[in-house]
Amino acid sequence: MSVRRHVARLVTTSAVLGGLLTVGAAPAVADEDSVRVRSTNSFSAGGSPGAVTVEVRKRSEGCVRVRTVLGLRLDGLRADQVRVEVDAGGRWAPVGVSGGGGAVGTPAVDPARPLLCEGKGVRVRYRLSFEAGTPLP
């Protein structure tokens, strides 16, 4: 399996779960609400940062508070090998990464407008990079 697909799948799965847990906790969630995650086609150790975008759309009645979490699971991965930044009003701000033993993650991030109501959507953009020597598959 290529590094690109493996890392993208891990980022996507973790980000989706973080988004779904946040949105899913609200009583007004319906099948038409959605969480979509997109990521750069490839990531490489020591390379340029790749993009990860989490989009949440609320089509059902009511409002929910949205927070996103980015998590990675990769054999041998340590928190100090991953750098994550979030778009905070047009400026990239570092986000802490914790964990180890192959599973690392960020704390929850609020978008600029965390309250999401019917007919609205929100997008949270991340930049993700790996330190040189990180054991990517």
Side-chain angles (χ1 to χ4, degrees):
M1 177 181 301
S2 75
V3 171
R4 164 181 64 88
R5 277 191 270 170
H6 192 66
V7 172
R9 182 179 303 151
L10 294 173
V11 169
T12 300
T13 302
S14 298
V16 168
L17 289 176
L20 286 175
L21 290 175
T22 302
V23 174
V29 173
D31 288 337
E32 55 270 6
D33 295 340
S34 67
V35 176
R36 182 178 193 178
V37 179
R38 293 178 297 166
S39 67
T40 299
N41 288 336
S42 64
F43 294 88
S44 61
S48 298
V52 177
T53 303
V54 180
E55 293 180 18
V56 182
R57 301 247 179 248
K58 179 126 178 69
R59 294 184 180 102
S60 60
E61 294 180 16
C63 298
V64 295
R65 180 183 169 140
V66 175
R67 301 180 88 193
T68 61
V69 173
L70 199 62
L72 298 166
R73 182 174 297 274
L74 190 63
D75 287 340
L77 186 64
R78 300 184 322 263
D80 65 339
Q81 295 173 309
V82 182
R83 179 183 166 109
V84 178
E85 296 175 302
V86 67
D87 182 355
R91 294 175 46 188
W92 291 103
V95 177
V97 178
S98 61
V104 301
T106 67
V109 172
D110 288 330
R113 292 184 303 259
L115 189 62
L116 188 61
C117 297
E118 180 181 2
K120 300 294 181 181
V122 67
R123 179 180 299 150
V124 179
R125 296 180 341 148
Y126 291 93
R127 286 197 309 200
L128 172 69
S129 60
F130 296 92
E131 296 294 322
T134 301
L136 299 176

